[in-house]
Amino acid sequence: MHRAMKAAGVMAIMATQALGSELLVPEEMGGWGYVEDGVMGGVSNGRAAYVDGALRMVGSVSTDNNGGFIQVRTRTPGDWPADAQGLELQVRGNGEVYYVFLKTPELRRVFHSFRAPFETGADWATVRVAFADFTPSHSGMPEGFTPDQVSSLALVAYGRDHEADLSVRSIRLY
């Protein structure tokens, strides 16, 4: 794929469907998009695909040239219950720390989000990321949000030079 197409974030990865409290990560294409810091002049690179029943994102994150991220993202259905406590993810990775970025409609700048880290290991594990643990990415943003305000979700390798290898089998609300 041409870098310009990646930079535009048009690579579709797979669909996300709401089913009760679970966000499924099925094999069908569409719904998820891959984005890297090349959209802002950075030099990180990677790819994402559906592999062995999971969304897998791999690549090199570089902070050179004011860069520092690769991500896959999707819009949420906009109907999460306001009383949900957080996200439960089935993940596997290379031992690095990754992030969930959430956006709400009132966040006007493309780089603003609410962010929370999670850890990975070589074996499949279930991790919980409480909504109370998400923090604003920049000053001047609202201090928090309610789950029913969330309009998009991103899984991100971010903020430091490293090799990324993240697989996510499912995402569910708890």
Side-chain angles (χ1 to χ4, degrees), residues 48-132:
Y50 185 81
V51 178
D52 297 328
L55 171 61
R56 185 174 185 199
M57 178 179 67
V58 297
S60 295
V61 178
S62 172
T63 56
D64 289 348
N65 207 32
N66 295 316
F69 75 87
I70 62 173
Q71 69 175 307
V72 289
R73 65 184 179 191
T74 189
R75 295 206 180 277
T76 60
D79 61 356
W80 289 359
D83 62 348
Q85 300 299 302
L87 298 169
E88 186 176 272
L89 299 87
Q90 282 189 318
V91 299
R92 171 172 73 185
N94 59 347
E96 295 288 346
V97 174
Y98 295 93
Y99 293 83
V100 177
F101 286 13
L102 299 177
K103 292 184 75 73
T104 60
E106 67 272 355
L107 300 180
R108 302 287 183 217
R109 300 194 178 236
V110 68
F111 50 84
H112 284 184
S113 62
F114 295 97
R115 302 172 178 186
F118 64 92
E119 295 182 6
T120 63
D123 296 323
W124 285 107
T126 299
V127 297
R128 284 189 159 196
V129 184
F131 290 134

